[in-house]
Amino acid sequence: MKTIADIAPAGNNSLGFVRLMAAIAVVISHAFVITRGASTLQPLEALTGYPLGAHAVHVFFTVSGLLVAASFDRRPSLTAFAAARFFRIYPGLIVATVAVFLFAALTVSTALFSEILKGSVTGYFAKILIGLAGSGAIPGVFESLPHEGVNVPLWTLKYEVLCYIALGIGMAFLTRFPIVRPLTLCWLMIGASSIWLLQGKAYNDAGFLDHVARFSFAFWSGVAAWHLRDRIPVSAAILVVLLAATALAIVLSLPIIAHALMLLSGYVALFVAQFRYGWLSTFTDRNDLSYGTYIYGWPVQQTLVWAGLALTPEVNALAALVIVLPLAFLSWRFVEKPTLRLKDLFGGHSAMSRPVKPARA
């Protein structure tokens, strides 16, 4: 029976394909609120309490936890870790933020350019690039559409950064106090998140700390999966058990619905990733379009509605993907991939470096 350790090596999995499918799922989910308004139910929301896009983001966080923990084991330097995370997020985000601003200001906005520039310094650029918020606004842009907001999905980035910071602090602590095992840290983080989530706060009623708990649970589950990679099988039988347990939790309205859903989505991601899908797996191994799809999807979908095109969810999602996927490819090839190489300037070892232990150690 395969374990996570068996599918972890490059070329043995399709995690790149899984992440791209998750990004596409976000675009599909958002098409419903973009065309019909913020109160519109998205796919799976009535059934699970979470929309399709949220489940896809849970996949992102779980897979991210797994991959980032693996990356730190290969290159145990906090400087290199921080550099890698910075160059993975910010270059693409900066270019996308500027590109969306210029396009919106010159094409979409009904306000004067001086007003646009003045109102966007703090209301758009600062909120997105410093606050990593999805509430950025450009004067005169998308204000009369069913759902306002220039790039709403970016709000999840701050929680991703918080997870990275927590992991970095945790690794520093483990280096200083090697008597503490990595899994102990994982259980503490998962346990704290689990207790908070037991409140059963509805998705649309969640606040900052609720989101911190939810995303931390998914992320640290991925980190734990890496450290237990030799012991966690990837099998259809376990998938069925998780599916049945999740369905039971939903039917009985148990307070562990969120926990079960995130464990299920993470395991589904691993189960799908254990297979290779021909040229799709090869292409997504070499070209990570998931981030570009995520950061360009909403503005493109909004623009289509603004232009009077793609006014139904299905057409909006399809038309947007036709535009977004090439944009994501350009972002990866000319922005994200080249700037990722800069992380090598920060070295792979430091005074805090430690040897990588076997998975069972």
Side-chain angles (χ1 to χ4, degrees), residues 242-269:
L242 283 174
L243 182 60
T246 303
L248 185 63
I250 292 173
V251 170
L252 298 179
S253 298
L254 299 178
I256 60 166
I257 291 176
H259 312 68
L261 286 169
M262 284 186 280
L263 290 175
L264 176 62
S265 62
Y267 198 83
V268 167

PDB file of all heavy atoms in Angstrom, residues 242-269:
ATOM      1  N   LEU A 242     -13.235   8.307   5.632  1.00  0.00           N
ATOM      2  CA  LEU A 242     -13.289   9.749   5.883  1.00  0.00           C
ATOM      3  C   LEU A 242     -14.553  10.364   5.306  1.00  0.00           C
ATOM      4  O   LEU A 242     -15.183  11.233   5.925  1.00  0.00           O
ATOM      5  CB  LEU A 242     -12.056  10.434   5.283  1.00  0.00           C
ATOM      6  CG  LEU A 242     -10.752  10.292   6.066  1.00  0.00           C
ATOM      7  CD1 LEU A 242      -9.600  10.890   5.266  1.00  0.00           C
ATOM      8  CD2 LEU A 242     -10.864  10.966   7.423  1.00  0.00           C
ATOM      9  N   LEU A 243     -14.943   9.910   4.118  1.00  0.00           N
ATOM     10  CA  LEU A 243     -16.156  10.412   3.488  1.00  0.00           C
ATOM     11  C   LEU A 243     -17.379  10.062   4.326  1.00  0.00           C
ATOM     12  O   LEU A 243     -18.258  10.904   4.555  1.00  0.00           O
ATOM     13  CB  LEU A 243     -16.286   9.835   2.078  1.00  0.00           C
ATOM     14  CG  LEU A 243     -17.489  10.306   1.250  1.00  0.00           C
ATOM     15  CD1 LEU A 243     -17.448  11.818   1.054  1.00  0.00           C
ATOM     16  CD2 LEU A 243     -17.517   9.589  -0.095  1.00  0.00           C
ATOM     17  N   ALA A 244     -17.434   8.818   4.817  1.00  0.00           N
ATOM     18  CA  ALA A 244     -18.568   8.384   5.637  1.00  0.00           C
ATOM     19  C   ALA A 244     -18.602   9.145   6.961  1.00  0.00           C
ATOM     20  O   ALA A 244     -19.674   9.562   7.418  1.00  0.00           O
ATOM     21  CB  ALA A 244     -18.468   6.881   5.894  1.00  0.00           C
ATOM     22  N   ALA A 245     -17.450   9.345   7.576  1.00  0.00           N
ATOM     23  CA  ALA A 245     -17.389  10.069   8.849  1.00  0.00           C
ATOM     24  C   ALA A 245     -17.823  11.522   8.663  1.00  0.00           C
ATOM     25  O   ALA A 245     -18.536  12.074   9.511  1.00  0.00           O
ATOM     26  CB  ALA A 245     -15.973  10.007   9.412  1.00  0.00           C
ATOM     27  N   THR A 246     -17.416  12.114   7.557  1.00  0.00           N
ATOM     28  CA  THR A 246     -17.799  13.505   7.276  1.00  0.00           C
ATOM     29  C   THR A 246     -19.295  13.613   7.033  1.00  0.00           C
ATOM     30  O   THR A 246     -19.962  14.532   7.546  1.00  0.00           O
ATOM     31  CB  THR A 246     -17.030  14.038   6.055  1.00  0.00           C
ATOM     32  OG1 THR A 246     -15.622  13.923   6.299  1.00  0.00           O
ATOM     33  CG2 THR A 246     -17.380  15.495   5.791  1.00  0.00           C
ATOM     34  N   ALA A 247     -19.837  12.672   6.273  1.00  0.00           N
ATOM     35  CA  ALA A 247     -21.282  12.677   6.001  1.00  0.00           C
ATOM     36  C   ALA A 247     -22.064  12.517   7.305  1.00  0.00           C
ATOM     37  O   ALA A 247     -23.085  13.187   7.516  1.00  0.00           O
ATOM     38  CB  ALA A 247     -21.629  11.553   5.028  1.00  0.00           C
ATOM     39  N   LEU A 248     -21.588  11.647   8.184  1.00  0.00           N
ATOM     40  CA  LEU A 248     -22.261  11.439   9.470  1.00  0.00           C
ATOM     41  C   LEU A 248     -22.210  12.719  10.311  1.00  0.00           C
ATOM     42  O   LEU A 248     -23.215  13.090  10.941  1.00  0.00           O
ATOM     43  CB  LEU A 248     -21.577  10.291  10.219  1.00  0.00           C
ATOM     44  CG  LEU A 248     -22.229   9.860  11.544  1.00  0.00           C
ATOM     45  CD1 LEU A 248     -23.638   9.322  11.296  1.00  0.00           C
ATOM     46  CD2 LEU A 248     -21.368   8.805  12.237  1.00  0.00           C
ATOM     47  N   ALA A 249     -21.077  13.385  10.321  1.00  0.00           N
ATOM     48  CA  ALA A 249     -20.948  14.625  11.081  1.00  0.00           C
ATOM     49  C   ALA A 249     -21.913  15.691  10.575  1.00  0.00           C
ATOM     50  O   ALA A 249     -22.521  16.431  11.358  1.00  0.00           O
ATOM     51  CB  ALA A 249     -19.510  15.141  10.994  1.00  0.00           C
ATOM     52  N   ILE A 250     -22.096  15.747   9.248  1.00  0.00           N
ATOM     53  CA  ILE A 250     -23.014  16.730   8.662  1.00  0.00           C
ATOM     54  C   ILE A 250     -24.458  16.384   8.993  1.00  0.00           C
ATOM     55  O   ILE A 250     -25.248  17.251   9.409  1.00  0.00           O
ATOM     56  CB  ILE A 250     -22.804  16.799   7.130  1.00  0.00           C
ATOM     57  CG1 ILE A 250     -21.428  17.395   6.813  1.00  0.00           C
ATOM     58  CG2 ILE A 250     -23.908  17.632   6.475  1.00  0.00           C
ATOM     59  CD1 ILE A 250     -21.065  17.342   5.345  1.00  0.00           C
ATOM     60  N   VAL A 251     -24.823  15.117   8.839  1.00  0.00           N
ATOM     61  CA  VAL A 251     -26.201  14.689   9.102  1.00  0.00           C
ATOM     62  C   VAL A 251     -26.580  14.915  10.565  1.00  0.00           C
ATOM     63  O   VAL A 251     -27.696  15.361  10.878  1.00  0.00           O
ATOM     64  CB  VAL A 251     -26.380  13.198   8.730  1.00  0.00           C
ATOM     65  CG1 VAL A 251     -27.728  12.683   9.220  1.00  0.00           C
ATOM     66  CG2 VAL A 251     -26.269  13.022   7.213  1.00  0.00           C
ATOM     67  N   LEU A 252     -25.651  14.641  11.469  1.00  0.00           N
ATOM     68  CA  LEU A 252     -25.928  14.777  12.905  1.00  0.00           C
ATOM     69  C   LEU A 252     -25.606  16.168  13.449  1.00  0.00           C
ATOM     70  O   LEU A 252     -25.773  16.415  14.644  1.00  0.00           O
ATOM     71  CB  LEU A 252     -25.125  13.737  13.682  1.00  0.00           C
ATOM     72  CG  LEU A 252     -25.430  12.269  13.367  1.00  0.00           C
ATOM     73  CD1 LEU A 252     -24.553  11.346  14.196  1.00  0.00           C
ATOM     74  CD2 LEU A 252     -26.908  11.951  13.595  1.00  0.00           C
ATOM     75  N   SER A 253     -25.131  17.053  12.556  1.00  0.00           N
ATOM     76  CA  SER A 253     -24.765  18.420  12.952  1.00  0.00           C
ATOM     77  C   SER A 253     -23.771  18.433  14.100  1.00  0.00           C
ATOM     78  O   SER A 253     -23.900  19.198  15.062  1.00  0.00           O
ATOM     79  CB  SER A 253     -26.019  19.224  13.341  1.00  0.00           C
ATOM     80  OG  SER A 253     -26.895  19.353  12.249  1.00  0.00           O
ATOM     81  N   LEU A 254     -22.786  17.575  14.014  1.00  0.00           N
ATOM     82  CA  LEU A 254     -21.766  17.499  15.049  1.00  0.00           C
ATOM     83  C   LEU A 254     -20.841  18.712  14.978  1.00  0.00           C
ATOM     84  O   LEU A 254     -20.641  19.288  13.907  1.00  0.00           O
ATOM     85  CB  LEU A 254     -20.950  16.214  14.885  1.00  0.00           C
ATOM     86  CG  LEU A 254     -21.728  14.901  14.990  1.00  0.00           C
ATOM     87  CD1 LEU A 254     -20.791  13.710  14.765  1.00  0.00           C
ATOM     88  CD2 LEU A 254     -22.403  14.791  16.354  1.00  0.00           C
ATOM     89  N   PRO A 255     -20.238  19.107  16.086  1.00  0.00           N
ATOM     90  CA  PRO A 255     -19.355  20.289  16.085  1.00  0.00           C
ATOM     91  C   PRO A 255     -18.014  20.064  15.405  1.00  0.00           C
ATOM     92  O   PRO A 255     -17.182  20.973  15.382  1.00  0.00           O
ATOM     93  CB  PRO A 255     -19.166  20.578  17.581  1.00  0.00           C
ATOM     94  CG  PRO A 255     -19.380  19.269  18.248  1.00  0.00           C
ATOM     95  CD  PRO A 255     -20.437  18.565  17.441  1.00  0.00           C
ATOM     96  N   ILE A 256     -17.796  18.869  14.851  1.00  0.00           N
ATOM     97  CA  ILE A 256     -16.534  18.578  14.178  1.00  0.00           C
ATOM     98  C   ILE A 256     -16.675  18.605  12.656  1.00  0.00           C
ATOM     99  O   ILE A 256     -15.825  18.070  11.946  1.00  0.00           O
ATOM    100  CB  ILE A 256     -15.978  17.209  14.621  1.00  0.00           C
ATOM    101  CG1 ILE A 256     -16.983  16.095  14.286  1.00  0.00           C
ATOM    102  CG2 ILE A 256     -15.634  17.213  16.090  1.00  0.00           C
ATOM    103  CD1 ILE A 256     -16.392  14.704  14.385  1.00  0.00           C
ATOM    104  N   ILE A 257     -17.729  19.228  12.167  1.00  0.00           N
ATOM    105  CA  ILE A 257     -17.942  19.274  10.716  1.00  0.00           C
ATOM    106  C   ILE A 257     -16.761  19.920  10.006  1.00  0.00           C
ATOM    107  O   ILE A 257     -16.247  19.393   9.007  1.00  0.00           O
ATOM    108  CB  ILE A 257     -19.252  20.020  10.377  1.00  0.00           C
ATOM    109  CG1 ILE A 257     -20.459  19.209  10.829  1.00  0.00           C
ATOM    110  CG2 ILE A 257     -19.338  20.293   8.877  1.00  0.00           C
ATOM    111  CD1 ILE A 257     -21.783  19.920  10.625  1.00  0.00           C
ATOM    112  N   ALA A 258     -16.323  21.068  10.500  1.00  0.00           N
ATOM    113  CA  ALA A 258     -15.209  21.771   9.853  1.00  0.00           C
ATOM    114  C   ALA A 258     -13.951  20.905   9.859  1.00  0.00           C
ATOM    115  O   ALA A 258     -13.237  20.816   8.846  1.00  0.00           O
ATOM    116  CB  ALA A 258     -14.941  23.097  10.556  1.00  0.00           C
ATOM    117  N   HIS A 259     -13.677  20.254  10.991  1.00  0.00           N
ATOM    118  CA  HIS A 259     -12.493  19.392  11.090  1.00  0.00           C
ATOM    119  C   HIS A 259     -12.561  18.268  10.050  1.00  0.00           C
ATOM    120  O   HIS A 259     -11.591  18.003   9.336  1.00  0.00           O
ATOM    121  CB  HIS A 259     -12.388  18.770  12.485  1.00  0.00           C
ATOM    122  CG  HIS A 259     -12.553  19.715  13.621  1.00  0.00           C
ATOM    123  ND1 HIS A 259     -13.743  20.344  13.912  1.00  0.00           N
ATOM    124  CD2 HIS A 259     -11.673  20.133  14.566  1.00  0.00           C
ATOM    125  CE1 HIS A 259     -13.586  21.107  14.977  1.00  0.00           C
ATOM    126  NE2 HIS A 259     -12.351  21.008  15.397  1.00  0.00           N
ATOM    127  N   ALA A 260     -13.724  17.626  10.002  1.00  0.00           N
ATOM    128  CA  ALA A 260     -13.887  16.487   9.094  1.00  0.00           C
ATOM    129  C   ALA A 260     -13.765  16.918   7.635  1.00  0.00           C
ATOM    130  O   ALA A 260     -13.133  16.228   6.821  1.00  0.00           O
ATOM    131  CB  ALA A 260     -15.240  15.824   9.338  1.00  0.00           C
ATOM    132  N   LEU A 261     -14.364  18.056   7.305  1.00  0.00           N
ATOM    133  CA  LEU A 261     -14.313  18.537   5.929  1.00  0.00           C
ATOM    134  C   LEU A 261     -12.881  18.836   5.492  1.00  0.00           C
ATOM    135  O   LEU A 261     -12.481  18.508   4.364  1.00  0.00           O
ATOM    136  CB  LEU A 261     -15.179  19.784   5.771  1.00  0.00           C
ATOM    137  CG  LEU A 261     -16.694  19.566   5.769  1.00  0.00           C
ATOM    138  CD1 LEU A 261     -17.424  20.893   5.877  1.00  0.00           C
ATOM    139  CD2 LEU A 261     -17.130  18.816   4.500  1.00  0.00           C
ATOM    140  N   MET A 262     -12.108  19.443   6.374  1.00  0.00           N
ATOM    141  CA  MET A 262     -10.732  19.779   6.008  1.00  0.00           C
ATOM    142  C   MET A 262      -9.849  18.545   5.899  1.00  0.00           C
ATOM    143  O   MET A 262      -9.004  18.445   4.998  1.00  0.00           O
ATOM    144  CB  MET A 262     -10.158  20.790   6.993  1.00  0.00           C
ATOM    145  CG  MET A 262     -10.686  22.195   6.763  1.00  0.00           C
ATOM    146  SD  MET A 262      -9.894  23.444   7.790  1.00  0.00           S
ATOM    147  CE  MET A 262     -10.785  23.198   9.332  1.00  0.00           C
ATOM    148  N   LEU A 263     -10.037  17.593   6.800  1.00  0.00           N
ATOM    149  CA  LEU A 263      -9.280  16.348   6.691  1.00  0.00           C
ATOM    150  C   LEU A 263      -9.653  15.600   5.415  1.00  0.00           C
ATOM    151  O   LEU A 263      -8.787  15.037   4.729  1.00  0.00           O
ATOM    152  CB  LEU A 263      -9.541  15.466   7.913  1.00  0.00           C
ATOM    153  CG  LEU A 263      -8.949  15.960   9.233  1.00  0.00           C
ATOM    154  CD1 LEU A 263      -9.387  15.053  10.379  1.00  0.00           C
ATOM    155  CD2 LEU A 263      -7.425  16.021   9.159  1.00  0.00           C
ATOM    156  N   LEU A 264     -10.942  15.614   5.090  1.00  0.00           N
ATOM    157  CA  LEU A 264     -11.395  14.946   3.871  1.00  0.00           C
ATOM    158  C   LEU A 264     -10.819  15.611   2.627  1.00  0.00           C
ATOM    159  O   LEU A 264     -10.301  14.931   1.733  1.00  0.00           O
ATOM    160  CB  LEU A 264     -12.923  14.946   3.812  1.00  0.00           C
ATOM    161  CG  LEU A 264     -13.545  14.354   2.538  1.00  0.00           C
ATOM    162  CD1 LEU A 264     -13.161  12.879   2.392  1.00  0.00           C
ATOM    163  CD2 LEU A 264     -15.063  14.519   2.556  1.00  0.00           C
ATOM    164  N   SER A 265     -10.896  16.943   2.547  1.00  0.00           N
ATOM    165  CA  SER A 265     -10.402  17.634   1.356  1.00  0.00           C
ATOM    166  C   SER A 265      -8.898  17.433   1.198  1.00  0.00           C
ATOM    167  O   SER A 265      -8.399  17.233   0.078  1.00  0.00           O
ATOM    168  CB  SER A 265     -10.734  19.128   1.423  1.00  0.00           C
ATOM    169  OG  SER A 265     -10.106  19.748   2.530  1.00  0.00           O
ATOM    170  N   GLY A 266      -8.164  17.455   2.324  1.00  0.00           N
ATOM    171  CA  GLY A 266      -6.731  17.224   2.247  1.00  0.00           C
ATOM    172  C   GLY A 266      -6.397  15.824   1.783  1.00  0.00           C
ATOM    173  O   GLY A 266      -5.483  15.618   0.978  1.00  0.00           O
ATOM    174  N   TYR A 267      -7.162  14.845   2.278  1.00  0.00           N
ATOM    175  CA  TYR A 267      -6.893  13.466   1.894  1.00  0.00           C
ATOM    176  C   TYR A 267      -7.302  13.211   0.437  1.00  0.00           C
ATOM    177  O   TYR A 267      -6.622  12.465  -0.276  1.00  0.00           O
ATOM    178  CB  TYR A 267      -7.628  12.493   2.818  1.00  0.00           C
ATOM    179  CG  TYR A 267      -7.052  11.093   2.748  1.00  0.00           C
ATOM    180  CD1 TYR A 267      -5.939  10.754   3.502  1.00  0.00           C
ATOM    181  CD2 TYR A 267      -7.608  10.128   1.920  1.00  0.00           C
ATOM    182  CE1 TYR A 267      -5.389   9.480   3.436  1.00  0.00           C
ATOM    183  CE2 TYR A 267      -7.069   8.850   1.836  1.00  0.00           C
ATOM    184  CZ  TYR A 267      -5.960   8.528   2.603  1.00  0.00           C
ATOM    185  OH  TYR A 267      -5.405   7.274   2.513  1.00  0.00           O
ATOM    186  N   VAL A 268      -8.395  13.839   0.006  1.00  0.00           N
ATOM    187  CA  VAL A 268      -8.784  13.738  -1.407  1.00  0.00           C
ATOM    188  C   VAL A 268      -7.655  14.256  -2.288  1.00  0.00           C
ATOM    189  O   VAL A 268      -7.323  13.665  -3.334  1.00  0.00           O
ATOM    190  CB  VAL A 268     -10.089  14.520  -1.677  1.00  0.00           C
ATOM    191  CG1 VAL A 268     -10.318  14.685  -3.183  1.00  0.00           C
ATOM    192  CG2 VAL A 268     -11.278  13.800  -1.053  1.00  0.00           C
ATOM    193  N   ALA A 269      -7.051  15.376  -1.883  1.00  0.00           N
ATOM    194  CA  ALA A 269      -5.944  15.943  -2.651  1.00  0.00           C
ATOM    195  C   ALA A 269      -4.795  14.947  -2.773  1.00  0.00           C
ATOM    196  O   ALA A 269      -4.233  14.750  -3.856  1.00  0.00           O
ATOM    197  CB  ALA A 269      -5.470  17.242  -2.002  1.00  0.00           C
TER     198      ALA A 269
END
